[in-house]
């Protein structure tokens, strides 16, 4: 067996999001070599280790999740301060992505203890790569709030962002959530990725109105879902006729300079270009 690469400190391990084969060789090495294993759900961690033939060999397997962080953290920090090699894995995917791990990682960094990660599956990234939507700039915003009014407020805050949006959602709220997204975002291009890496994996692509109508009719789908929404359409740059019309109106009551300033700001154009055009119109 290759010599262990795992160093003292905390290593965050990404785990499969459905297909047990999606775990890296480095992640398995880390699980094999760690002095202690912290897991969101120790049964889920045990199952994964069993599938891949990694035995516990009497090492501590410590539950660590949002609700027991206060009591579990001191034990983990003690091991880490003593130079222990501790790994942490959440139930599925990348720790800290809508999953526990943040408080632990923060505490580790605050004490100058090394933090490492073995990268791997993440439902948000897989959904983005399958969505067919722009991927040069994207925003992951986790789960929208459950209640309708709070969800709409949350979506309204995201609406102006010029990026693709990625949201996790529960299947039972999917139809209601898509209806709110349609109302707030309009009929943008979107995708719903479901059961990624599993037997019934599917990605539906279409405009938000068609997806909202589809799930309103079909009801809650089975399994886990990610919603990806394309960015807002870029505003068309103002044409010459728009600039002239705005300038003529402004010039009726303003100086050339003030009219150019107002129109340049309103149409998001360079002030010099608008000023030159205002002068030309005035001299006509
Ligand atoms: N840490 C995980 C990751 O890296 O993707 C996310 C954990 S979060 C608690 C669980 C949510 O992730 C689900 O409700 C769903 O929105 C999304 N998700 C996880 N696995 C998925 C899968 N196989 N297919 C679709 N969505 C998935």
């Amino acid at each position: 067996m290759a010599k262990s690469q795992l160093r003292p400190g905390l290593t965050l391990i990404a785990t499969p999001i459905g297909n047990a084969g999606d775990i890296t060789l480095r992640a398995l090495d880390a699980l094999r070599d760690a002095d202690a294993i912290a897991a969101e759900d120790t049964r889920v961690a045990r199952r994964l280790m069993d599938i891949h033939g990694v035995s516990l060999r009497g090492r501590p397997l410590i539950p660590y999740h949002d609700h027991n962080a206060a009591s579990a953290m001191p034990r983990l920090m003690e091991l880490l301060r003593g130079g222990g090699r501790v790994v942490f894995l959440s139930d599925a995917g990348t720790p800290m992505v809508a999953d526990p791990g943040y408080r632990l990682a923060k505490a580790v960094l605050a004490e100058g203890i090394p933090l490492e990660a073995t990268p791997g599956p993440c439902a948000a990234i897989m959904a983005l790569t399958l969505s067919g939507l722009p991927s040069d700039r994207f925003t992951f915003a986790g789960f929208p709030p459950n209640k309708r009014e709070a969800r709409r407020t949350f979506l309204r805050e995201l609406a102006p962002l010029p990026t693709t949006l990625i949201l996790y959602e529960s299947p039972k709220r999917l139809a209601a959530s898509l209806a709110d997204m349609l109302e707030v975002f309009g009929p943008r291009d979107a995708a719903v990725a479901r059961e990624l890496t599993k037997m019934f994996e599917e990605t539906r692509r279409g405009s938000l109105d068609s997806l909202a109508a589809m799930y309103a009719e079909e009801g809650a789908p089975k399994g886990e879902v990610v919603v990806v929404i394309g960015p807002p359409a870029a505003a068309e740059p103002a044409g010459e006729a728009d600039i002239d019309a705005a300038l003529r109106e402004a010039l009726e009551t303003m100086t050339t300079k003030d009219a150019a300033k107002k129109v340049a700001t309103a149409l998001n154009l360079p002030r010099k270009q608008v000023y030159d055009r205002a002068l030309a119109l005035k001299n006509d």
Side-chain angles (χ1 to χ4, degrees), residues 20-273:
D22 292 331
I23 186 156
T24 67
L25 299 175
R26 274 187 73 213
L28 290 177
D29 281 346
L31 278 170
R32 223 172 259 128
D33 297 340
D35 302 310
I37 296 158
E40 181 181 6
D41 183 330
T42 53
R43 287 164 309 177
V44 173
R46 275 307 283 268
R47 208 175 311 130
L48 185 68
M49 289 167 71
D50 285 347
I51 289 172
H52 292 285
V54 178
S55 55
L56 201 52
R57 308 187 314 271
R59 295 174 294 167
L61 180 57
I62 303 164
Y64 175 87
H65 45 76
D66 285 341
H67 307 292
N68 80 343
S71 59
M73 195 114 89
R75 182 166 173 211
L76 292 172
M77 291 306 289
E78 197 182 308
L79 287 164
L80 288 160
R81 285 186 202 112
R85 296 169 304 170
V86 178
V87 295
F88 170 68
L89 54 156
S90 56
D91 286 354
T94 301
M96 290 171 56
V97 178
D99 257 352
Y102 170 69
R103 283 173 65 184
L104 185 58
K106 199 169 168 220
V108 156
L109 291 174
E111 295 202 20
I113 296 167
L115 177 69
E116 299 205 7
T118 62
C122 175
I125 298 298
M126 181 164 176
L128 175 69
T129 55
L130 292 173
S131 68
L133 294 166
S135 58
D136 52 340
R137 281 207 283 180
F138 59 88
T139 302
F140 170 68
F143 286 91
N146 299 348
K147 299 234 168 75
R148 190 144 200 232
E149 226 14 75
R151 182 164 62 225
R152 287 182 179 186
T153 305
F154 169 89
L155 295 174
R156 272 187 220 112
E157 280 170 18
L158 297 172
L161 295 179
T163 75
T164 290
L165 296 172
I166 308 172
L167 296 165
Y168 286 165
E169 187 50 288
S170 95
K172 69 172 195 284
R173 277 187 289 275
L174 180 65
S177 209
L178 285 170
D180 286 347
M181 289 173 199
L182 174 61
E183 194 175 306
V184 174
F185 300 140
R188 288 194 205 171
D189 288 338
V192 175
R194 192 173 70 83
E195 292 292 84
L196 293 170
T197 77
K198 302 184 200 174
M199 173 119 60
F200 297 106
E201 171 177 337
E202 67 166 5
T203 301
R204 294 188 186 181
R205 304 170 189 86
S207 69
L208 267 177
D209 51 353
S210 63
L211 289 168
M214 210 180 274
Y215 285 103
E217 194 184 319
E218 288 177 20
K222 288 206 168 67
E224 299 185 284
V225 292
V226 182
V227 182
V228 188
I229 303 132
E236 287 282 316
E240 267 176 31
D242 302 317
I243 302 170
D244 285 3
L247 276 174
R248 284 207 175 90
E249 194 186 323
L251 283 168
E252 280 174 19
T253 56
M254 291 179 184
T255 64
T256 312
K257 193 172 158 204
D258 286 347
K261 186 173 162 191
K262 181 178 174 206
V263 171
T265 308
L267 300 182
N268 197 21
L269 290 166
R271 211 176 281 181
K272 171 87 172 73
Q273 176 198 335

